[in-house]
Amino acid sequence: PPPFTGVWLGDSKICAIGVHCGHYITSHGLALNCCTDLTWFDHIVPCGLEGKGVTSLSCQLGRHVTVDHVLQPFLDCFQEVFDCTLVFSEDSG
Protein backbone atom coordinates (compact mmCIF):
# COMPACT_ATOMS: atom_id res chain seq x y z
CA PRO A 1 0.00 0.00 0.00
CA PRO A 2 1.27 3.52 -0.71
CA PRO A 3 3.71 4.93 0.22
CA PHE A 4 5.55 1.59 0.45
CA THR A 5 7.48 0.23 -2.53
CA GLY A 6 7.03 -3.25 -3.91
CA VAL A 7 4.01 -5.32 -4.79
CA TRP A 8 1.49 -5.82 -1.99
CA LEU A 9 -1.50 -8.06 -1.38
CA GLY A 10 -3.28 -6.31 1.44
CA ASP A 11 -0.75 -5.78 4.24
CA SER A 12 1.64 -8.44 2.91
CA LYS A 13 4.48 -7.83 0.48
CA ILE A 14 4.85 -10.43 -2.28
CA CYS A 15 7.54 -8.67 -4.32
CA ALA A 16 10.35 -6.34 -3.28
CA ILE A 17 11.71 -3.78 -5.74
CA GLY A 18 15.03 -2.07 -5.27
CA VAL A 19 17.42 0.40 -6.85
CA HIS A 20 21.07 0.94 -5.94
CA CYS A 21 23.25 3.81 -7.15
CA GLY A 22 26.96 3.96 -6.53
CA HIS A 23 30.26 4.63 -8.28
CA TYR A 24 28.43 5.96 -11.37
CA ILE A 25 26.51 2.70 -11.80
CA THR A 26 22.80 2.18 -11.25
CA SER A 27 21.47 -1.31 -10.68
CA HIS A 28 17.93 -2.40 -10.03
CA GLY A 29 16.06 -5.59 -9.39
CA LEU A 30 13.17 -7.37 -7.83
CA ALA A 31 12.53 -10.34 -5.62
CA LEU A 32 9.24 -12.13 -6.24
CA ASN A 33 8.40 -14.61 -3.50
CA CYS A 34 7.40 -17.79 -5.31
CA CYS A 35 7.89 -20.67 -2.87
CA THR A 36 9.88 -18.87 -0.21
CA ASP A 37 10.07 -20.34 3.29
CA LEU A 38 8.23 -17.48 5.00
CA THR A 39 9.19 -18.63 8.52
CA TRP A 40 12.53 -16.83 8.10
CA PHE A 41 10.62 -13.55 8.19
CA ASP A 42 9.44 -14.36 11.73
CA HIS A 43 12.93 -13.43 12.95
CA ILE A 44 13.12 -9.94 11.41
CA VAL A 45 11.01 -6.89 10.67
CA PRO A 46 10.71 -7.29 6.89
CA CYS A 47 11.78 -4.14 5.03
CA GLY A 48 11.77 -2.37 8.40
CA LEU A 49 7.98 -2.10 8.35
CA GLU A 50 6.35 -2.92 11.67
CA GLY A 51 2.95 -4.61 11.40
CA LYS A 52 3.34 -5.61 7.75
CA GLY A 53 3.68 -9.17 6.53
CA VAL A 54 5.26 -11.13 3.72
CA THR A 55 3.54 -13.62 1.45
CA SER A 56 4.34 -15.77 -1.57
CA LEU A 57 2.66 -16.96 -4.74
CA SER A 58 2.53 -20.49 -3.27
CA CYS A 59 0.82 -19.24 -0.13
CA GLN A 60 -1.69 -17.11 -2.03
CA LEU A 61 -2.54 -19.76 -4.63
CA GLY A 62 -2.54 -22.71 -2.24
CA ARG A 63 -0.15 -24.74 -4.40
CA HIS A 64 3.60 -25.03 -4.92
CA VAL A 65 4.76 -22.35 -7.39
CA THR A 66 8.45 -22.38 -8.34
CA VAL A 67 10.58 -19.78 -10.09
CA ASP A 68 10.57 -22.07 -13.13
CA HIS A 69 6.77 -21.80 -13.22
CA VAL A 70 6.78 -18.01 -13.36
CA LEU A 71 10.01 -17.09 -15.14
CA GLN A 72 8.85 -17.33 -18.77
CA PRO A 73 5.45 -15.66 -18.21
CA PHE A 74 7.25 -12.90 -16.28
CA LEU A 75 9.79 -12.35 -19.06
CA ASP A 76 7.04 -12.33 -21.70
CA CYS A 77 5.09 -9.69 -19.77
CA PHE A 78 8.26 -7.66 -19.16
CA GLN A 79 8.95 -7.52 -22.90
CA GLU A 80 5.36 -6.52 -23.63
CA VAL A 81 5.14 -3.80 -20.98
CA PHE A 82 8.52 -2.27 -21.77
CA ASP A 83 8.24 -2.85 -25.55
CA CYS A 84 11.66 -4.48 -25.71
CA THR A 85 13.40 -7.65 -26.74
CA LEU A 86 15.43 -9.49 -24.12
CA VAL A 87 18.79 -10.84 -25.22
CA PHE A 88 20.42 -13.66 -23.32
CA SER A 89 24.10 -14.45 -23.24
CA GLU A 90 25.51 -17.95 -22.80
CA ASP A 91 28.60 -16.36 -21.26
CA SER A 92 27.63 -14.95 -17.88
CA GLY A 93 31.23 -13.87 -17.14
Side-chain angles (χ1 to χ4, degrees):
F4 306 126
T5 60
V7 179
W8 293 79
L9 296 174
D11 280 340
S12 296
K13 185 182 267 192
I14 195 166
C15 182
I17 300 170
V19 176
H20 176 265
C21 301
H23 302 287
Y24 306 102
I25 297 173
T26 302
S27 54
H28 51 278
L30 61 86
L32 175 62
N33 295 330
C34 294
C35 53
T36 307
D37 178 358
L38 299 177
T39 61
W40 289 102
F41 292 102
D42 295 339
H43 306 286
I44 64 170
V45 178
C47 303
L49 301 172
E50 292 280 348
K52 303 295 181 192
V54 179
T55 191
S56 68
L57 288 172
S58 294
C59 181
Q60 292 298 309
L61 297 174
R63 61 181 173 85
H64 188 69
V65 180
T66 67
V67 172
D68 289 338
H69 288 121
V70 300
L71 184 58
Q72 194 58 55
F74 173 83
L75 295 175
D76 293 343
C77 289
F78 185 95
Q79 290 182 106
E80 183 179 334
V81 168
F82 292 102
D83 191 26
C84 67
T85 301
L86 299 176
V87 178
F88 300 93
S89 172
E90 294 296 322
D91 179 22
S92 61

Coordinates of all heavy atoms in Angstrom, one line a residue:
P1 N 0.8 -1.2 0.0 CA 0.0 0.0 0.0 C 0.9 1.3 0.0 O 1.9 1.3 0.6 CB -0.8 -0.1 1.3 CG 0.0 -1.1 2.2 CD 0.8 -1.9 1.2
P2 N 0.5 2.3 -0.7 CA 1.3 3.5 -0.7 C 1.5 4.0 0.7 O 0.6 3.8 1.5 CB 0.4 4.5 -1.5 CG -0.5 3.6 -2.3 CD -0.7 2.4 -1.5
P3 N 2.6 4.5 1.1 CA 3.7 4.9 0.2 C 4.8 3.9 0.1 O 5.9 4.2 -0.3 CB 4.2 6.2 1.0 CG 4.1 5.8 2.4 CD 2.8 5.0 2.4
F4 N 4.5 2.6 0.4 CA 5.5 1.6 0.4 C 5.8 1.1 -1.0 O 4.9 0.9 -1.8 CB 5.1 0.4 1.3 CG 4.7 0.9 2.7 CD1 3.5 0.5 3.3 CD2 5.6 1.6 3.5 CE1 3.2 0.9 4.6 CE2 5.3 2.0 4.8 CZ 4.1 1.6 5.3
T5 N 7.1 0.8 -1.2 CA 7.5 0.2 -2.5 C 7.2 -1.3 -2.6 O 7.0 -1.9 -1.5 CB 9.0 0.5 -2.8 OG1 9.7 -0.2 -1.8 CG2 9.3 2.0 -2.9
G6 N 7.2 -1.8 -3.7 CA 7.0 -3.3 -3.9 C 5.6 -3.6 -4.4 O 4.8 -2.7 -4.7
V7 N 5.3 -4.8 -4.4 CA 4.0 -5.3 -4.8 C 3.4 -5.9 -3.5 O 4.0 -6.8 -2.9 CB 4.1 -6.4 -5.9 CG1 2.7 -6.9 -6.3 CG2 4.8 -5.8 -7.1
W8 N 2.2 -5.5 -3.2 CA 1.5 -5.8 -2.0 C 0.2 -6.5 -2.3 O -0.5 -6.2 -3.2 CB 1.2 -4.6 -1.2 CG 2.5 -3.9 -0.7 CD1 3.3 -3.1 -1.3 CD2 3.0 -4.1 0.7 NE1 4.4 -2.8 -0.5 CE2 4.2 -3.3 0.7 CE3 2.6 -4.7 1.8 CZ2 5.0 -3.2 1.8 CZ3 3.4 -4.7 2.9 CH2 4.6 -3.9 3.0
L9 N -0.2 -7.5 -1.4 CA -1.5 -8.1 -1.4 C -2.0 -7.8 0.0 O -1.6 -8.4 1.0 CB -1.4 -9.6 -1.6 CG -0.9 -10.0 -3.0 CD1 -0.8 -11.5 -3.1 CD2 -1.9 -9.5 -4.1
G10 N -2.8 -6.8 0.1 CA -3.3 -6.3 1.4 C -2.1 -5.7 2.2 O -1.4 -4.9 1.7
D11 N -1.9 -6.2 3.4 CA -0.7 -5.8 4.2 C 0.5 -6.7 4.1 O 1.4 -6.6 5.0 CB -1.2 -5.7 5.7 CG -2.0 -4.4 6.0 OD1 -1.8 -3.5 5.2 OD2 -2.6 -4.4 7.0
S12 N 0.5 -7.5 3.1 CA 1.6 -8.4 2.9 C 2.3 -8.2 1.6 O 1.7 -8.1 0.5 CB 1.2 -9.9 3.0 OG 0.6 -10.2 4.2
K13 N 3.7 -8.1 1.7 CA 4.5 -7.8 0.5 C 4.8 -9.2 -0.2 O 5.2 -10.1 0.4 CB 5.8 -7.1 0.9 CG 6.6 -6.7 -0.4 CD 7.9 -6.1 0.1 CE 7.8 -4.6 0.1 NZ 9.1 -3.9 0.2
I14 N 4.5 -9.2 -1.5 CA 4.8 -10.4 -2.3 C 6.1 -10.2 -3.2 O 6.7 -11.2 -3.6 CB 3.6 -10.9 -3.1 CG1 3.8 -12.3 -3.6 CG2 3.3 -9.9 -4.2 CD1 2.5 -13.0 -4.1
C15 N 6.4 -9.0 -3.4 CA 7.5 -8.7 -4.3 C 8.2 -7.4 -3.9 O 7.6 -6.4 -3.7 CB 7.1 -8.5 -5.8 SG 8.4 -8.2 -7.0
A16 N 9.5 -7.5 -3.6 CA 10.4 -6.3 -3.3 C 11.0 -5.8 -4.5 O 11.4 -6.5 -5.4 CB 11.4 -6.7 -2.3
I17 N 11.1 -4.5 -4.6 CA 11.7 -3.8 -5.7 C 12.8 -2.9 -5.2 O 12.5 -2.2 -4.2 CB 10.7 -3.0 -6.5 CG1 9.6 -3.9 -7.0 CG2 11.3 -2.2 -7.7 CD1 8.4 -3.1 -7.6
G18 N 14.0 -2.9 -5.8 CA 15.0 -2.1 -5.3 C 15.9 -1.4 -6.4 O 16.0 -1.9 -7.5
V19 N 16.5 -0.3 -6.0 CA 17.4 0.4 -6.9 C 18.7 0.7 -6.0 O 18.5 1.1 -4.9 CB 16.8 1.7 -7.4 CG1 17.8 2.5 -8.2 CG2 15.6 1.4 -8.2
H20 N 19.8 0.6 -6.6 CA 21.1 0.9 -5.9 C 21.9 1.8 -6.9 O 22.0 1.5 -8.1 CB 21.9 -0.3 -5.6 CG 23.2 0.0 -5.0 ND1 24.3 0.1 -5.7 CD2 23.5 0.3 -3.7 CE1 25.4 0.4 -4.9 NE2 24.9 0.5 -3.7
C21 N 22.4 2.9 -6.4 CA 23.2 3.8 -7.2 C 24.6 4.0 -6.4 O 24.6 4.2 -5.2 CB 22.6 5.2 -7.3 SG 21.0 5.2 -8.1
G22 N 25.7 3.8 -7.1 CA 27.0 4.0 -6.5 C 28.1 3.8 -7.6 O 28.0 3.0 -8.5
H23 N 29.1 4.7 -7.4 CA 30.3 4.6 -8.3 C 29.9 4.8 -9.7 O 30.3 4.0 -10.6 CB 31.1 3.4 -8.0 CG 31.6 3.2 -6.6 ND1 32.6 4.0 -6.1 CD2 31.2 2.4 -5.6 CE1 32.7 3.7 -4.8 NE2 31.9 2.7 -4.5
Y24 N 28.9 5.7 -10.0 CA 28.4 6.0 -11.4 C 27.7 4.8 -12.1 O 27.6 4.7 -13.3 CB 29.6 6.5 -12.3 CG 30.3 7.6 -11.6 CD1 31.5 7.4 -11.0 CD2 29.7 8.9 -11.6 CE1 32.2 8.5 -10.4 CE2 30.4 10.0 -11.0 CZ 31.6 9.7 -10.4 OH 32.2 10.8 -9.8
I25 N 27.2 3.8 -11.3 CA 26.5 2.7 -11.8 C 25.2 2.6 -11.1 O 25.1 2.7 -9.8 CB 27.3 1.4 -11.6 CG1 28.6 1.4 -12.4 CG2 26.5 0.2 -12.0 CD1 29.5 0.3 -12.2
T26 N 24.1 2.4 -11.8 CA 22.8 2.2 -11.3 C 22.4 0.7 -11.5 O 22.5 0.3 -12.7 CB 21.8 3.1 -11.9 OG1 22.2 4.5 -11.7 CG2 20.4 2.9 -11.3
S27 N 22.0 0.0 -10.5 CA 21.5 -1.3 -10.7 C 20.1 -1.4 -10.0 O 19.8 -0.6 -9.1 CB 22.4 -2.4 -10.1 OG 22.7 -2.1 -8.7
H28 N 19.3 -2.3 -10.5 CA 17.9 -2.4 -10.0 C 17.5 -3.9 -10.1 O 18.1 -4.6 -10.8 CB 17.0 -1.5 -10.8 CG 17.1 -1.7 -12.3 ND1 18.1 -1.1 -13.1 CD2 16.4 -2.5 -13.2 CE1 17.9 -1.5 -14.3 NE2 16.9 -2.3 -14.4
G29 N 16.5 -4.2 -9.4 CA 16.1 -5.6 -9.4 C 14.8 -5.8 -8.6 O 14.2 -4.8 -8.0
L30 N 14.4 -7.0 -8.6 CA 13.2 -7.4 -7.8 C 13.3 -8.8 -7.3 O 14.1 -9.6 -7.8 CB 11.9 -7.3 -8.7 CG 11.8 -8.1 -9.9 CD1 11.2 -9.5 -9.6 CD2 10.9 -7.4 -11.0
A31 N 12.6 -9.0 -6.2 CA 12.5 -10.3 -5.6 C 11.1 -10.7 -5.5 O 10.4 -10.2 -4.6 CB 13.2 -10.3 -4.3
L32 N 10.6 -11.6 -6.3 CA 9.2 -12.1 -6.2 C 9.2 -13.4 -5.4 O 9.9 -14.4 -5.8 CB 8.7 -12.4 -7.7 CG 7.3 -13.0 -7.8 CD1 6.3 -12.1 -7.1 CD2 7.0 -13.3 -9.2
N33 N 8.5 -13.4 -4.3 CA 8.4 -14.6 -3.5 C 7.5 -15.7 -4.2 O 6.3 -15.5 -4.2 CB 7.8 -14.3 -2.1 CG 8.7 -13.3 -1.4 OD1 9.9 -13.4 -1.5 ND2 8.2 -12.5 -0.5
C34 N 8.1 -16.7 -4.6 CA 7.4 -17.8 -5.3 C 7.1 -18.9 -4.3 O 5.9 -19.1 -4.0 CB 8.2 -18.4 -6.5 SG 8.4 -17.2 -7.8
C35 N 8.1 -19.6 -3.8 CA 7.9 -20.7 -2.9 C 8.8 -20.5 -1.7 O 9.4 -21.4 -1.2 CB 8.1 -22.0 -3.5 SG 9.6 -22.3 -4.4
T36 N 9.0 -19.3 -1.3 CA 9.9 -18.9 -0.2 C 9.4 -19.4 1.1 O 8.2 -19.5 1.4 CB 9.9 -17.3 -0.1 OG1 10.2 -16.8 -1.4 CG2 10.9 -16.8 0.9
D37 N 10.4 -19.9 1.9 CA 10.1 -20.3 3.3 C 9.8 -19.1 4.1 O 10.8 -18.4 4.6 CB 11.2 -21.1 3.9 CG 11.0 -21.6 5.3 OD1 10.0 -21.3 5.9 OD2 11.9 -22.3 5.8
L38 N 8.6 -18.7 4.3 CA 8.2 -17.5 5.0 C 8.5 -17.5 6.5 O 8.5 -16.4 7.1 CB 6.7 -17.2 4.8 CG 6.3 -17.0 3.3 CD1 4.8 -16.8 3.2 CD2 7.1 -15.9 2.6
T39 N 8.9 -18.6 7.1 CA 9.2 -18.6 8.5 C 10.4 -17.8 8.8 O 10.6 -17.4 10.0 CB 9.4 -20.1 9.1 OG1 10.4 -20.7 8.4 CG2 8.1 -20.9 8.9
W40 N 11.3 -17.6 7.9 CA 12.5 -16.8 8.1 C 12.2 -15.4 8.4 O 12.9 -14.7 9.2 CB 13.4 -16.9 6.9 CG 14.1 -18.2 6.7 CD1 13.8 -19.1 5.8 CD2 15.2 -18.7 7.4 NE1 14.6 -20.2 5.9 CE2 15.5 -20.0 6.9 CE3 16.0 -18.2 8.5 CZ2 16.5 -20.8 7.4 CZ3 17.0 -19.0 9.0 CH2 17.3 -20.3 8.4
F41 N 11.0 -14.9 7.9 CA 10.6 -13.5 8.2 C 10.1 -13.4 9.6 O 9.9 -12.2 10.0 CB 9.6 -13.1 7.1 CG 10.1 -13.0 5.8 CD1 9.9 -14.0 4.8 CD2 10.9 -11.9 5.4 CE1 10.4 -13.9 3.5 CE2 11.4 -11.8 4.1 CZ 11.2 -12.8 3.2
D42 N 9.9 -14.5 10.3 CA 9.4 -14.4 11.7 C 10.5 -13.8 12.6 O 10.3 -13.4 13.7 CB 9.0 -15.7 12.3 CG 7.8 -16.3 11.6 OD1 7.0 -15.5 11.0 OD2 7.6 -17.5 11.6
H43 N 11.8 -13.8 12.1 CA 12.9 -13.4 13.0 C 13.4 -12.0 12.7 O 14.3 -11.5 13.3 CB 14.1 -14.4 12.7 CG 13.7 -15.8 12.9 ND1 13.6 -16.4 14.1 CD2 13.5 -16.8 12.0 CE1 13.2 -17.6 14.0 NE2 13.2 -17.9 12.7
I44 N 12.7 -11.3 11.8 CA 13.1 -9.9 11.4 C 11.9 -9.1 11.2 O 10.7 -9.6 11.3 CB 13.9 -9.9 10.1 CG1 13.1 -10.4 8.9 CG2 15.2 -10.7 10.2 CD1 13.7 -10.1 7.5
V45 N 12.1 -7.8 11.1 CA 11.0 -6.9 10.7 C 11.2 -6.6 9.2 O 12.1 -5.9 8.8 CB 11.1 -5.6 11.5 CG1 10.0 -4.6 11.0 CG2 11.0 -5.8 13.0
P46 N 10.5 -7.4 8.3 CA 10.7 -7.3 6.9 C 10.6 -5.9 6.4 O 9.7 -5.1 6.6 CB 9.6 -8.1 6.3 CG 9.2 -9.1 7.4 CD 9.4 -8.3 8.6
C47 N 11.7 -5.5 5.7 CA 11.8 -4.1 5.0 C 11.7 -3.0 6.1 O 11.4 -1.9 5.7 CB 10.7 -4.0 3.9 SG 10.8 -5.2 2.7
G48 N 11.9 -3.4 7.3 CA 11.8 -2.4 8.4 C 10.4 -1.8 8.7 O 10.2 -0.8 9.3
L49 N 9.4 -2.6 8.2 CA 8.0 -2.1 8.3 C 7.2 -2.9 9.4 O 6.8 -4.0 9.2 CB 7.3 -2.2 7.0 CG 7.9 -1.5 5.8 CD1 7.2 -1.8 4.5 CD2 7.8 0.0 6.1
E50 N 7.1 -2.3 10.6 CA 6.3 -2.9 11.7 C 4.9 -3.2 11.3 O 4.3 -2.3 10.6 CB 6.4 -2.0 12.9 CG 7.7 -1.9 13.6 CD 8.1 -3.1 14.4 OE1 7.2 -3.9 14.7 OE2 9.3 -3.2 14.8
G51 N 4.4 -4.3 11.6 CA 2.9 -4.6 11.4 C 2.6 -5.0 10.0 O 1.4 -5.2 9.7
K52 N 3.6 -5.2 9.1 CA 3.3 -5.6 7.8 C 3.9 -7.0 7.6 O 4.8 -7.4 8.3 CB 4.0 -4.7 6.7 CG 3.6 -3.2 6.9 CD 2.1 -3.1 6.5 CE 1.7 -1.6 6.6 NZ 0.3 -1.4 6.6
G53 N 3.3 -7.8 6.7 CA 3.7 -9.2 6.5 C 4.3 -9.4 5.2 O 4.5 -8.5 4.4
V54 N 4.7 -10.7 5.0 CA 5.3 -11.1 3.7 C 4.5 -12.3 3.3 O 4.0 -13.2 4.1 CB 6.7 -11.5 3.9 CG1 7.3 -12.0 2.6 CG2 7.5 -10.3 4.4
T55 N 4.3 -12.5 2.0 CA 3.5 -13.6 1.5 C 4.3 -14.1 0.2 O 5.3 -13.6 -0.2 CB 2.1 -13.3 1.2 OG1 1.3 -14.5 0.9 CG2 1.9 -12.3 0.0
S56 N 3.7 -15.2 -0.4 CA 4.3 -15.8 -1.6 C 3.2 -16.2 -2.5 O 2.1 -16.3 -2.1 CB 5.2 -17.0 -1.2 OG 4.4 -18.0 -0.7
L57 N 3.6 -16.4 -3.8 CA 2.7 -17.0 -4.7 C 2.1 -18.3 -4.3 O 0.9 -18.6 -4.4 CB 3.3 -17.1 -6.1 CG 3.6 -15.8 -6.9 CD1 4.4 -16.1 -8.1 CD2 2.3 -15.1 -7.2
S58 N 3.0 -19.2 -3.7 CA 2.5 -20.5 -3.3 C 1.5 -20.3 -2.2 O 0.5 -21.0 -2.2 CB 3.7 -21.3 -2.8 OG 4.6 -21.6 -3.8
C59 N 1.8 -19.4 -1.2 CA 0.8 -19.2 -0.1 C -0.5 -18.7 -0.6 O -1.6 -19.2 -0.2 CB 1.4 -18.3 0.9 SG 0.4 -17.9 2.3
Q60 N -0.5 -17.7 -1.5 CA -1.7 -17.1 -2.0 C -2.5 -18.0 -2.9 O -3.7 -18.0 -2.9 CB -1.4 -15.8 -2.8 CG -0.8 -14.7 -1.9 CD -1.8 -14.3 -0.9 OE1 -2.9 -14.0 -1.2 NE2 -1.3 -14.2 0.4
L61 N -1.8 -18.9 -3.7 CA -2.5 -19.8 -4.6 C -2.9 -21.1 -4.0 O -3.6 -21.9 -4.6 CB -1.7 -19.9 -5.9 CG -1.5 -18.6 -6.7 CD1 -0.6 -18.9 -7.9 CD2 -2.8 -18.1 -7.2
G62 N -2.3 -21.4 -2.9 CA -2.5 -22.7 -2.2 C -1.9 -23.9 -2.9 O -2.4 -25.0 -2.8
R63 N -0.9 -23.7 -3.7 CA -0.1 -24.7 -4.4 C 1.3 -24.3 -4.6 O 1.6 -23.1 -4.5 CB -0.8 -25.1 -5.8 CG -0.8 -23.9 -6.7 CD -1.4 -24.3 -8.1 NE -1.6 -23.2 -8.9 CZ -0.7 -22.7 -9.8 NH1 0.5 -23.3 -9.8 NH2 -0.9 -21.7 -10.6
H64 N 2.2 -25.3 -4.8 CA 3.6 -25.0 -4.9 C 3.9 -24.3 -6.3 O 3.6 -24.9 -7.3 CB 4.4 -26.3 -4.8 CG 5.9 -26.2 -4.7 ND1 6.5 -25.6 -3.6 CD2 6.8 -26.4 -5.6 CE1 7.8 -25.5 -3.8 NE2 8.0 -26.1 -5.1
V65 N 4.4 -23.1 -6.2 CA 4.8 -22.3 -7.4 C 6.3 -22.0 -7.4 O 6.7 -21.3 -6.5 CB 4.0 -21.0 -7.5 CG1 4.3 -20.2 -8.7 CG2 2.5 -21.3 -7.4
T66 N 7.0 -22.6 -8.3 CA 8.4 -22.4 -8.3 C 8.8 -21.2 -9.3 O 8.0 -20.8 -10.1 CB 9.2 -23.6 -8.8 OG1 8.8 -23.9 -10.2 CG2 8.8 -24.9 -8.0
V67 N 10.1 -20.8 -9.2 CA 10.6 -19.8 -10.1 C 10.4 -20.3 -11.5 O 10.1 -19.5 -12.4 CB 12.0 -19.4 -9.8 CG1 12.7 -18.5 -10.8 CG2 12.1 -18.8 -8.4
D68 N 10.7 -21.5 -11.8 CA 10.6 -22.1 -13.1 C 9.1 -21.9 -13.7 O 9.0 -21.7 -14.9 CB 11.0 -23.6 -13.2 CG 12.5 -23.8 -13.0 OD1 13.2 -22.8 -13.3 OD2 12.9 -24.9 -12.7
H69 N 8.2 -22.0 -12.8 CA 6.8 -21.8 -13.2 C 6.5 -20.4 -13.7 O 5.7 -20.2 -14.6 CB 5.8 -22.1 -12.1 CG 5.7 -23.5 -11.7 ND1 5.9 -24.0 -10.5 CD2 5.3 -24.6 -12.5 CE1 5.8 -25.3 -10.4 NE2 5.4 -25.7 -11.6
V70 N 7.1 -19.4 -13.1 CA 6.8 -18.0 -13.4 C 7.8 -17.3 -14.2 O 7.5 -16.2 -14.8 CB 6.6 -17.2 -12.1 CG1 5.4 -17.8 -11.2 CG2 7.8 -17.1 -11.3
L71 N 9.0 -17.8 -14.4 CA 10.0 -17.1 -15.1 C 9.6 -16.7 -16.6 O 9.7 -15.5 -16.9 CB 11.3 -17.9 -15.2 CG 12.5 -17.2 -15.8 CD1 12.8 -15.9 -15.1 CD2 13.7 -18.1 -15.8
Q72 N 9.2 -17.7 -17.4 CA 8.8 -17.3 -18.8 C 7.7 -16.4 -18.9 O 7.7 -15.4 -19.6 CB 8.6 -18.6 -19.6 CG 8.6 -18.3 -21.1 CD 9.9 -17.7 -21.6 OE1 11.0 -18.2 -21.4 NE2 9.8 -16.5 -22.2
P73 N 6.6 -16.6 -18.1 CA 5.5 -15.7 -18.2 C 5.9 -14.3 -17.8 O 5.5 -13.3 -18.3 CB 4.4 -16.2 -17.3 CG 4.7 -17.7 -17.2 CD 6.2 -17.8 -17.4
F74 N 6.7 -14.2 -16.7 CA 7.2 -12.9 -16.3 C 8.0 -12.2 -17.4 O 7.9 -11.0 -17.7 CB 8.1 -13.1 -15.0 CG 8.8 -11.8 -14.6 CD1 8.1 -10.9 -13.9 CD2 10.1 -11.5 -15.0 CE1 8.7 -9.7 -13.5 CE2 10.7 -10.3 -14.7 CZ 10.0 -9.4 -13.9
L75 N 9.0 -12.9 -18.0 CA 9.8 -12.3 -19.1 C 8.9 -11.9 -20.2 O 9.2 -10.9 -20.8 CB 10.9 -13.3 -19.5 CG 11.9 -13.7 -18.4 CD1 12.9 -14.8 -19.0 CD2 12.7 -12.5 -18.0
D76 N 7.9 -12.7 -20.6 CA 7.0 -12.3 -21.7 C 6.3 -11.0 -21.4 O 6.2 -10.1 -22.2 CB 6.0 -13.4 -22.0 CG 6.7 -14.7 -22.5 OD1 7.8 -14.7 -23.0 OD2 6.0 -15.8 -22.5
C77 N 5.8 -10.9 -20.2 CA 5.1 -9.7 -19.8 C 6.0 -8.5 -19.7 O 5.7 -7.4 -20.1 CB 4.4 -9.9 -18.4 SG 3.0 -11.0 -18.5
F78 N 7.3 -8.7 -19.2 CA 8.3 -7.7 -19.2 C 8.5 -7.1 -20.5 O 8.5 -5.9 -20.7 CB 9.6 -8.2 -18.6 CG 10.6 -7.2 -18.3 CD1 10.7 -6.5 -17.1 CD2 11.5 -6.8 -19.3 CE1 11.7 -5.6 -16.9 CE2 12.4 -5.8 -19.2 CZ 12.5 -5.2 -17.9
Q79 N 8.7 -8.0 -21.5 CA 8.9 -7.5 -22.9 C 7.8 -6.7 -23.4 O 7.9 -5.7 -24.1 CB 9.2 -8.7 -23.8 CG 10.6 -9.4 -23.5 CD 10.9 -10.5 -24.5 OE1 11.7 -10.3 -25.4 NE2 10.2 -11.6 -24.3
E80 N 6.6 -7.2 -23.1 CA 5.4 -6.5 -23.6 C 5.2 -5.1 -23.0 O 5.0 -4.2 -23.7 CB 4.1 -7.4 -23.3 CG 2.9 -6.8 -23.9 CD 1.6 -7.7 -23.6 OE1 1.8 -8.9 -23.5 OE2 0.5 -7.1 -23.5
V81 N 5.3 -5.1 -21.7 CA 5.1 -3.8 -21.0 C 6.2 -2.8 -21.4 O 5.9 -1.6 -21.6 CB 5.1 -4.0 -19.4 CG1 5.2 -2.7 -18.7 CG2 3.9 -4.8 -19.0
F82 N 7.4 -3.2 -21.5 CA 8.5 -2.3 -21.8 C 8.9 -2.2 -23.3 O 9.8 -1.5 -23.6 CB 9.8 -2.6 -20.9 CG 9.5 -2.4 -19.5 CD1 9.3 -3.4 -18.6 CD2 9.6 -1.1 -19.0 CE1 9.1 -3.2 -17.3 CE2 9.4 -0.8 -17.6 CZ 9.1 -1.9 -16.8
D83 N 8.1 -2.9 -24.1 CA 8.2 -2.9 -25.5 C 9.7 -3.1 -25.9 O 10.3 -2.2 -26.6 CB 7.7 -1.5 -26.1 CG 7.6 -1.6 -27.6 OD1 7.5 -2.7 -28.2 OD2 7.7 -0.5 -28.3
C84 N 10.3 -4.2 -25.5 CA 11.7 -4.5 -25.7 C 11.8 -5.9 -26.1 O 10.9 -6.7 -26.0 CB 12.5 -4.1 -24.5 SG 12.1 -5.2 -23.1
T85 N 13.0 -6.3 -26.5 CA 13.4 -7.7 -26.7 C 14.5 -8.0 -25.8 O 15.6 -7.3 -25.8 CB 13.9 -7.8 -28.2 OG1 12.8 -7.5 -29.1 CG2 14.3 -9.3 -28.5
L86 N 14.4 -9.1 -25.0 CA 15.4 -9.5 -24.1 C 16.4 -10.3 -24.9 O 16.1 -11.2 -25.7 CB 14.8 -10.3 -23.0 CG 13.8 -9.5 -22.1 CD1 13.2 -10.5 -21.1 CD2 14.5 -8.4 -21.4
V87 N 17.7 -10.1 -24.6 CA 18.8 -10.8 -25.2 C 19.5 -11.6 -24.1 O 19.9 -11.0 -23.1 CB 19.7 -9.9 -26.0 CG1 20.9 -10.6 -26.6 CG2 19.0 -9.1 -27.0
F88 N 19.7 -12.8 -24.3 CA 20.4 -13.7 -23.3 C 21.8 -14.1 -23.8 O 22.0 -14.4 -25.0 CB 19.6 -14.9 -23.0 CG 18.2 -14.6 -22.5 CD1 17.1 -14.5 -23.3 CD2 18.0 -14.3 -21.1 CE1 15.9 -14.1 -22.9 CE2 16.8 -14.0 -20.6 CZ 15.7 -13.9 -21.5
S89 N 22.7 -14.1 -22.9 CA 24.1 -14.4 -23.2 C 24.4 -15.8 -22.6 O 24.1 -16.0 -21.4 CB 25.1 -13.4 -22.7 OG 26.4 -13.8 -22.9
E90 N 25.1 -16.7 -23.4 CA 25.5 -17.9 -22.8 C 26.7 -17.7 -21.9 O 26.9 -18.5 -20.9 CB 25.9 -18.9 -23.9 CG 24.7 -19.3 -24.8 CD 23.7 -20.1 -24.1 OE1 24.1 -20.9 -23.2 OE2 22.5 -19.9 -24.3
D91 N 27.4 -16.7 -22.1 CA 28.6 -16.4 -21.3 C 28.2 -15.4 -20.2 O 28.0 -14.2 -20.5 CB 29.7 -15.8 -22.1 CG 30.9 -15.4 -21.3 OD1 31.1 -16.0 -20.2 OD2 31.7 -14.6 -21.8
S92 N 28.1 -15.8 -19.0 CA 27.6 -14.9 -17.9 C 28.8 -14.2 -17.3 O 28.7 -13.4 -16.4 CB 26.9 -15.7 -16.8 OG 27.7 -16.7 -16.2
G93 N 30.0 -14.5 -17.7 CA 31.2 -13.9 -17.1 C 31.6 -12.7 -17.9 O 32.3 -11.8 -17.7

